[in-house]
Amino acid sequence: MAEGGVEGLAGEMEVEAYRRLFPLPFYERHLVESVRPDGRPLSSARETSIAVGAVTTADGSALVKTGETTMLAAIKLEVMSPSRESPDEGSLVIDFHMPPICSPTVRPGRPAELAPVISQQLSDVITRSKVINQKDLSLISGKAAWLAYLDVYCLNADGSLFDVALLSAIAALAHLHIPLVSLSDDGRVVPLSEDAPRKATREAVNKDRRKLGLKLLPFSLTCLLHKNYILADPTAEEESIMDTPLTVVLDSSHLLVSLYKSGGAVLAFTSSLKRFPLGRNEESTCFFTCLFIKECISLTKKRVQELQSLLDEALQSTEMDED
């Protein structure tokens, strides 16, 4: 190997060793230049791709990748008896899974601590945003409705897990194709495909309900605050060394759905502002916290537009393939 090549390799090894031993100082050297080690601007999210219909055996599915973080969402429909309280509504059950393959921090035989947290956040956001009218899942009022199981699988965990999980869930719901069903002679709801010999004389009970009437779609963006720097769409490495994250969820009309924080001294302090008088330092902290939240919301608005366009393109591409 040429001398220059050896020196270059040695230099790269020194940089990588410094990064592993002193990750925060390594990042701070880049932050002063308003750039990250991968060359990404602080306010930019990683490249994102959406592929709907990734699971052919599911009624709706989507494979989403942001940077190296990868999520697979799949929906399976089952017929259920609706509750007496909601006789003309179906039900949606959401679960988030982190198998050991997604990260070395997830050990076989031990459930990931984040999995139930993200499951609950997904359920809260989809319910709170009212993206789904559960009456669209009704088949026969008081007798039959759809029970939709939405499972999101983390295939690779490299930061911003909730953002990518939510995007994959929304994409799968947008892709959902509800099968045609009819009533059998004994009153059971059966798919028309299973009733082929008599489907010509038996009419579908849901021919006008083949797609969900999705309303304003929720999208999210997670940001990290470190000193006076705001980093959008953090990687797992960035999340591990910077401890003030904030996730903003907006719908496609830019209305605020929710804010999530999982720690950090600045944001944790804001929950007690109403109970205690503020000194000068606290007022300053509150001011910068408000600026942080405002900037995160502004960045999320731009991200919502990007993700809505990507989702529209993915759905249009699938429709063209089906035609």
Side-chain angles (χ1 to χ4, degrees):
M1 182 180 292
E3 183 177 348
V6 173
E7 292 178 352
L9 180 60
E12 291 178 5
M13 292 177 65
E14 289 179 2
V15 170
E16 186 60 29
Y18 180 75
R19 180 174 187 166
R20 290 178 179 274
L21 292 172
F22 308 103
L24 190 54
F26 173 82
Y27 262 89
E28 289 177 338
R29 286 190 172 189
H30 290 80
L31 295 181
V32 295
E33 302 294 334
S34 297
V35 71
R36 283 134 116 164
D38 60 5
R40 185 164 45 119
L42 304 188
S43 61
S44 295
R46 294 166 291 177
E47 183 176 351
T48 299
S49 63
I50 304 173
V52 295
V55 182
T56 56
T57 56
D59 296 301
S61 63
L63 179 67
V64 174
K65 186 174 183 180
T66 295
E68 294 302 319
T69 299
T70 308
M71 300 283 174
L72 178 65
I75 303 173
K76 290 295 292 183
L77 296 174
E78 292 184 3
V79 177
M80 71 170 199
S81 297
S83 66
R84 291 183 179 181
E85 294 76 16
S86 304
D88 58 349
E89 293 185 2
S91 184
L92 175 65
V93 177
I94 302 173
D95 206 357
F96 179 75
H97 310 268
M98 292 186 70
I101 191 176
C102 77
S103 171
T105 62
V106 180
R107 299 180 182 179
R110 297 180 60 183
E113 294 180 0
L114 268 179
V117 175
I118 295 180
S119 290
Q120 188 61 53
Q121 289 177 340
L122 290 172
S123 296
D124 290 345
V125 165
I126 291 176
T127 300
R128 189 176 303 162
S129 63
K130 297 181 180 180
V131 63
I132 295 176
N133 183 353
Q134 294 194 346
K135 291 185 178 181
D136 290 343
L137 295 172
S138 176
L139 286 169
I140 304 172
S141 181
K143 294 184 178 180
W146 291 114
L147 172 59
Y149 291 99
L150 170 54
D151 289 286
V152 180
Y153 298 88
C154 180
L155 304 182
N156 192 29
D158 188 27
S160 300
L161 300 189
F162 175 78
D163 299 342
V164 188
L166 177 61
L167 179 57
S168 67
I170 294 302
L173 288 169
H175 172 257
L176 178 63
H177 289 71
I178 299 175
L180 284 170
V181 295
S182 64
L183 283 176
S184 64
D185 294 335
D186 57 1
R188 292 185 301 110
V189 174
V190 295
L192 278 178
S193 59
E194 295 181 8
D195 197 25
R198 306 180 69 175
K199 67 180 180 180
T201 60
R202 189 162 289 155
E203 188 175 353
V205 298
N206 66 327
K207 59 183 179 181
D208 296 326
R209 292 184 177 179
R210 302 299 310 282
K211 297 285 287 183
L212 293 178
L214 300 183
K215 298 181 181 179
L216 297 174
L217 306 182
F219 301 98
S220 67
L221 178 67
T222 297
C223 297
L224 288 178
L225 174 66
H226 179 67
K227 296 182 178 179
N228 60 329
Y229 302 106
I230 298 176
L231 289 75
D233 180 30
T235 63
E237 182 181 30
E238 291 168 343
E239 289 178 338
S240 69
I241 60 177
M242 303 178 200
D243 61 355
T244 308
L246 176 69
T247 299
V248 179
V249 185
L250 302 177
D251 66 24
S252 45
S253 68
H254 294 170
L255 292 178
L256 180 64
V257 177
S258 60
L259 295 173
Y260 289 105
K261 64 181 180 66
S262 58
V266 174
L267 291 180
F269 176 79
T270 60
S271 62
S272 62
L273 290 180
K274 295 181 179 180
R275 294 185 297 162
F276 299 99
L278 301 181
R280 181 173 299 177
N281 291 337
E282 286 84 357
E283 288 178 350
S284 177
T285 299
C286 181
F287 174 74
F288 285 111
T289 299
C290 291
L291 287 181
F292 173 45
I293 294 174
K294 184 178 179 180
E295 180 62 20
C296 290
I297 291 175
S298 177
L299 293 174
T300 305
K301 288 180 179 179
K302 296 178 183 178
R303 183 62 170 161
V304 166
Q305 295 175 343
E306 296 172 4
L307 296 179
Q308 182 72 69
S309 296
L310 286 173
L311 179 57
D312 290 343
E313 291 174 5
L315 294 171
Q316 290 172 5
S317 176
T318 302
E319 291 174 358
M320 291 176 61
D321 291 342
E322 290 174 351
D323 293 341

